[in-house]
């Protein structure tokens, strides 16, 4: 059997890689890389709420900032994080609560002994002169690391709650702002429509006095005018409620937002 030179093998592999099956495999690999990159994307929670010193931001972003700064529920979460951090610090140093050290100093006075053996026996009774004792509970070797892990997880939970609050508050503030500007535009349209209907009613009233309109036609103009007045009042009510709801989120009047 004849052997294929190495340079020919390299050429054949190169051709097979760029052949149709090779291109399919290559495309599949790139597709998997793209999908993995998409799933690897994470949310930067620090950008959900723009920092207080940010400049040239849109009006609705200012509203989100105010909602984040002024809602009491956010302060509660931040306080919980601070407490969780303190608990973690206490758990790290809890070993000191179970580790005790004791010591004593043996002082004595010996009367003159009649022989050297008596002195040595007396000293042995008080030996050693310095005495230290350390106590360590074996159970805490398991309990303390577990407590630290638990405290660390609790801190992570509180931080995730903070991130969740950022997403929820931003969405709710923007939702209420959208409802507010929509209700505002509807209120403007209903107000303009009322002016048109009022003008038509005023003209119909004058024509009715001049005998140019029948009573039924005049009543039709009056009915249209009253119906538009109701629409305008309803739209005004909706507009004011959406304004109140938005101000509830930001904690201040909209007129005070700059």
């Amino acid at each position: 059997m004849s052997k294929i030179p190495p340079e020919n093998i390299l050429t054949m592999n190169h051709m097979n890689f760029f052949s149709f099956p090779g291109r399919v495999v290559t495309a599949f690999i790139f597709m998997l890389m793209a999908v993995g990159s998409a799933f690897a994307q994470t949310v930067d929670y620090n950008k959900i709420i723009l920092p207080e010193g940010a400049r040239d931001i849109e009006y609705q972003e200012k509203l989100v900032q105010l909602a984040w700064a002024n809602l009491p529920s956010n302060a509660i979460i931040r306080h919980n994080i601070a407490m969780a951090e303190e608990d973690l610090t206490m758990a790290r140093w809890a070993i000191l609560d179970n580790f005790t050290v004791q010591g004593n100093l043996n002082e004595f006075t010996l009367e003159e002994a009649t022989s050297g053996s008596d002195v040595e026996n007396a000293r042995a009774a008080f030996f050693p002169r310095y005495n230290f004792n350390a106590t360590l509970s074996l159970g805490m070797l398991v309990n303390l690391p577990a407590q630290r892990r638990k405290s660390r997880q609790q801190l992570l939970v509180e931080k995730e709650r903070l991130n969740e609050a950022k997403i929820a508050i931003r969405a709710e503030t923007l939702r209420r702002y959208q409802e507010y500007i929509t209700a505002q535009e509807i209120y403007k349209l209903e107000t303009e429509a009322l002016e048109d209907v009022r003008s038509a009613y005023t003209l119909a009233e004058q024509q009715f006095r001049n005998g140019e309109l029948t009573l039924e036609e005049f009543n039709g103009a009056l009915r249209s005018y009253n119906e538009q007045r109701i629409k305008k009042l309803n739209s005004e009510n909706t507009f004011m409620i959406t304004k109140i709801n938005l101000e509830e989120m930001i904690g201040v009047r909209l007129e005070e937002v700059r």
Side-chain angles (χ1 to χ4, degrees):
M1 181 182 295
S2 59
K3 297 183 179 180
I4 302 176
E7 60 274 10
N8 293 341
I9 295 177
L10 179 62
T11 304
M12 293 175 62
N13 291 337
H14 186 271
M15 293 177 60
N16 290 336
F17 180 78
F18 286 98
S19 63
F20 178 75
R23 290 196 299 269
V24 172
V25 173
T26 303
F28 181 72
I29 293 174
F30 278 111
M31 182 182 68
L32 290 179
M33 293 175 61
V35 172
S37 177
F39 280 106
Q41 293 179 353
T42 57
V43 178
D44 187 354
Y45 293 100
N46 295 325
K47 295 182 180 180
I48 295 178
I49 310 293
L50 296 180
E52 187 176 352
R55 298 180 179 180
D56 300 328
I57 63 177
E58 298 179 353
Y59 182 77
Q60 55 267 35
E61 294 297 337
K62 293 182 180 179
L63 298 179
V64 173
Q65 285 180 330
L66 288 172
W68 178 250
N70 295 335
L71 276 179
S73 57
N74 298 336
I76 294 175
I77 296 176
R78 287 192 288 268
H79 292 324
N80 287 338
I81 290 179
M83 289 189 294
E85 290 174 345
E86 293 296 334
D87 289 340
L88 180 58
T89 301
M90 293 172 60
R92 288 170 176 169
W93 292 98
I95 189 173
L96 299 180
D97 295 335
N98 297 273
F99 185 74
T100 59
V101 177
Q102 296 176 346
N104 62 343
L105 175 62
N106 294 327
E107 292 290 349
F108 57 90
T109 301
L110 296 178
E111 297 180 355
E112 293 185 0
T114 57
S115 64
S117 59
D118 294 335
V119 174
E120 294 299 327
N121 293 334
R123 289 185 181 273
F126 290 93
F127 183 83
R129 184 177 184 185
Y130 302 98
N131 184 16
F132 294 95
N133 179 32
T135 303
L136 181 65
S137 173
L138 295 179
M140 74 177 182
L141 298 178
V142 177
N143 295 335
L144 292 182
Q147 183 61 40
R148 285 195 296 268
R149 290 192 297 269
K150 180 180 177 181
S151 299
R152 191 176 297 111
Q153 291 299 319
Q154 185 61 41
L155 178 59
L156 293 176
V157 168
E158 296 300 334
K159 289 183 177 180
E160 291 299 333
R161 286 177 179 172
L162 187 68
N163 293 332
E164 183 182 26
K166 289 181 179 180
I167 296 175
I169 289 173
R170 176 181 175 81
E172 182 63 21
T173 303
L174 296 179
R175 185 162 41 245
R176 295 191 186 193
Y177 175 71
Q178 186 62 39
E179 293 173 351
Y180 166 77
I181 61 176
T182 301
Q184 186 181 47
E185 289 301 318
I186 294 176
Y187 173 60
K188 290 179 180 178
L189 292 175
E190 295 293 355
T191 301
E192 294 173 358
L194 179 61
E195 294 300 323
D196 294 338
V197 175
R198 180 183 287 112
S199 298
Y201 168 72
T202 302
L203 178 60
E205 185 179 26
Q206 184 65 36
Q207 291 175 339
F208 177 72
R209 290 177 180 176
N210 296 336
E212 299 174 2
L213 288 181
T214 63
L215 178 61
E216 182 178 356
E217 291 174 332
F218 173 73
N219 288 336
L222 177 61
R223 183 166 51 253
S224 297
Y225 174 57
N226 288 333
E227 290 175 353
Q228 187 57 41
R229 288 177 61 192
I230 294 174
K231 290 181 180 180
K232 190 255 185 181
L233 289 173
N234 288 333
S235 64
E236 182 180 14
N237 179 67
T238 301
F239 169 59
M240 294 305 300
I241 289 177
T242 57
K243 183 175 183 291
I244 293 172
N245 291 338
L246 183 55
E247 290 176 344
E248 180 186 21
M249 285 293 299
I250 64 177
V252 298
R253 292 174 57 85
L254 285 176
E255 292 78 8
E256 300 176 9
V257 180
R258 298 289 184 269

Coordinates of all heavy atoms in Angstrom, one line a residue, residues 49 52 62-76 78 169 246-253 256-257:
I49 N -30.9 52.3 37.7 CA -31.2 53.6 38.3 C -29.9 54.5 38.1 O -28.9 54.2 38.6 CB -31.5 53.5 39.8 CG1 -32.5 52.5 40.1 CG2 -31.9 54.9 40.4 CD1 -33.9 52.8 39.5
E52 N -27.2 59.8 41.1 CA -27.7 61.1 41.4 C -27.0 62.2 40.7 O -27.6 63.2 40.3 CB -27.7 61.4 42.9 CG -28.4 62.6 43.3 CD -28.4 62.7 44.8 OE1 -28.0 61.8 45.5 OE2 -28.9 63.8 45.3
K62 N -35.3 61.2 35.5 CA -35.3 62.0 36.8 C -36.4 61.5 37.7 O -36.2 61.4 38.9 CB -35.5 63.5 36.5 CG -34.3 64.2 35.7 CD -34.6 65.6 35.5 CE -33.5 66.3 34.7 NZ -33.8 67.7 34.5
L63 N -37.5 61.2 37.1 CA -38.6 60.6 37.9 C -38.2 59.3 38.6 O -38.5 59.0 39.7 CB -39.9 60.5 37.1 CG -40.4 61.7 36.5 CD1 -41.7 61.4 35.6 CD2 -40.8 62.8 37.5
V64 N -37.5 58.5 37.8 CA -37.1 57.2 38.4 C -36.1 57.4 39.5 O -36.1 56.7 40.5 CB -36.4 56.3 37.3 CG1 -35.8 55.1 37.8 CG2 -37.4 56.0 36.2
Q65 N -35.2 58.4 39.3 CA -34.2 58.7 40.4 C -35.0 59.1 41.7 O -34.6 58.7 42.8 CB -33.3 59.8 40.0 CG -32.2 59.4 39.0 CD -31.3 60.6 38.6 OE1 -31.8 61.7 38.6 NE2 -30.1 60.3 38.3
L66 N -36.0 60.0 41.5 CA -36.7 60.5 42.7 C -37.5 59.3 43.4 O -37.5 59.3 44.6 CB -37.7 61.6 42.3 CG -37.1 62.9 41.9 CD1 -38.1 63.8 41.3 CD2 -36.5 63.6 43.1
A67 N -38.1 58.5 42.6 CA -38.8 57.3 43.1 C -37.8 56.4 43.9 O -38.2 56.0 45.0 CB -39.5 56.5 42.0
W68 N -36.7 56.2 43.4 CA -35.7 55.4 44.1 C -35.2 56.0 45.4 O -35.0 55.3 46.4 CB -34.5 55.1 43.2 CG -33.5 54.2 43.8 CD1 -32.2 54.6 44.1 CD2 -33.5 52.9 44.1 NE1 -31.5 53.6 44.7 CE2 -32.3 52.5 44.7 CE3 -34.6 51.9 44.0 CZ2 -32.1 51.2 45.1 CZ3 -34.3 50.6 44.5 CH2 -33.1 50.3 45.0
A69 N -35.0 57.3 45.4 CA -34.5 58.0 46.5 C -35.5 58.2 47.6 O -35.2 58.3 48.8 CB -33.9 59.4 46.1
N70 N -36.8 58.4 47.3 CA -37.8 58.8 48.2 C -38.7 57.7 48.8 O -39.4 57.9 49.8 CB -38.6 59.9 47.6 CG -37.8 61.2 47.3 OD1 -36.8 61.4 47.9 ND2 -38.3 62.0 46.4
L71 N -38.8 56.6 48.1 CA -39.7 55.5 48.6 C -39.2 54.9 49.9 O -38.0 54.5 49.9 CB -39.9 54.4 47.5 CG -40.9 54.7 46.4 CD1 -40.9 53.5 45.5 CD2 -42.3 54.9 47.0
P72 N -40.0 54.9 50.9 CA -39.5 54.3 52.2 C -39.1 52.8 52.1 O -38.3 52.4 52.8 CB -40.7 54.5 53.1 CG -41.5 55.7 52.5 CD -41.3 55.5 51.1
S73 N -39.8 52.1 51.2 CA -39.5 50.7 51.1 C -38.0 50.5 50.7 O -37.4 49.5 51.0 CB -40.4 50.0 50.0 OG -40.3 50.7 48.8
N74 N -37.5 51.4 49.9 CA -36.1 51.2 49.5 C -35.2 51.4 50.7 O -34.1 50.7 50.8 CB -35.7 52.3 48.4 CG -36.5 52.0 47.1 OD1 -37.0 50.9 46.9 ND2 -36.7 53.1 46.4
A75 N -35.5 52.4 51.5 CA -34.7 52.6 52.7 C -34.7 51.4 53.6 O -33.7 51.0 54.2 CB -35.2 53.8 53.5
I76 N -35.8 50.7 53.7 CA -35.9 49.5 54.5 C -35.0 48.4 54.0 O -34.3 47.8 54.7 CB -37.4 49.0 54.5 CG1 -38.3 50.0 55.3 CG2 -37.5 47.6 55.2 CD1 -39.8 49.6 55.2
R78 N -32.2 48.9 52.2 CA -30.9 49.3 52.5 C -30.5 49.1 54.0 O -29.4 48.7 54.3 CB -30.7 50.8 52.1 CG -30.7 51.0 50.6 CD -30.2 52.4 50.3 NE -31.2 53.4 50.6 CZ -32.1 53.9 49.8 NH1 -32.1 53.4 48.5 NH2 -33.0 54.8 50.1
I169 N -39.2 49.3 40.6 CA -39.5 50.7 40.8 C -39.3 51.4 39.5 O -40.1 52.3 39.1 CB -38.6 51.3 41.9 CG1 -39.0 50.8 43.2 CG2 -38.6 52.8 41.9 CD1 -38.2 51.1 44.4
L246 N -48.4 59.1 40.0 CA -47.0 59.4 39.7 C -46.3 60.1 40.9 O -45.2 59.8 41.2 CB -46.9 60.1 38.4 CG -45.5 60.4 37.9 CD1 -44.7 59.1 37.7 CD2 -45.5 61.2 36.6
E247 N -47.0 61.1 41.4 CA -46.4 61.8 42.5 C -46.3 60.9 43.8 O -45.4 61.2 44.6 CB -47.3 63.0 42.9 CG -47.2 64.1 41.8 CD -48.1 65.3 42.1 OE1 -49.1 65.1 42.9 OE2 -48.0 66.3 41.4
E248 N -47.1 59.9 43.9 CA -47.0 59.0 45.0 C -45.7 58.2 44.9 O -45.0 57.9 45.9 CB -48.1 58.0 44.9 CG -48.1 56.9 46.0 CD -49.2 55.9 45.9 OE1 -49.7 55.8 44.8 OE2 -49.5 55.2 46.9
M249 N -45.2 57.9 43.6 CA -44.0 57.2 43.4 C -42.8 58.1 43.7 O -41.8 57.6 44.3 CB -43.9 56.7 42.0 CG -44.8 55.5 41.7 SD -44.3 54.0 42.6 CE -42.7 53.7 41.9
I250 N -42.8 59.3 43.3 CA -41.6 60.1 43.3 C -41.5 60.9 44.6 O -40.5 61.4 45.0 CB -41.5 61.1 42.1 CG1 -42.7 62.1 42.2 CG2 -41.5 60.3 40.8 CD1 -42.6 63.1 41.0
G251 N -42.6 61.1 45.4 CA -42.6 61.7 46.7 C -42.7 63.2 46.6 O -42.7 63.9 47.7
V252 N -42.8 63.8 45.5 CA -42.9 65.3 45.3 C -43.9 65.6 44.2 O -44.3 64.8 43.5 CB -41.5 65.9 45.0 CG1 -40.5 65.7 46.1 CG2 -40.9 65.4 43.7
R253 N -44.2 66.9 44.2 CA -45.1 67.3 43.1 C -44.4 67.4 41.8 O -43.2 67.7 41.8 CB -45.7 68.7 43.5 CG -46.7 68.7 44.7 CD -47.1 70.1 45.0 NE -47.7 70.8 43.9 CZ -49.0 70.7 43.6 NH1 -49.8 69.9 44.3 NH2 -49.5 71.3 42.6
E256 N -42.4 70.4 40.9 CA -41.1 70.7 41.5 C -39.9 69.9 40.9 O -38.8 70.2 41.2 CB -41.2 70.2 43.0 CG -42.2 71.0 43.8 CD -42.3 70.4 45.2 OE1 -41.5 69.6 45.6 OE2 -43.3 70.8 45.9
V257 N -40.2 69.1 39.9 CA -39.2 68.3 39.2 C -38.5 69.2 38.2 O -39.2 69.8 37.3 CB -39.8 67.1 38.6 CG1 -38.7 66.3 37.9 CG2 -40.5 66.2 39.6

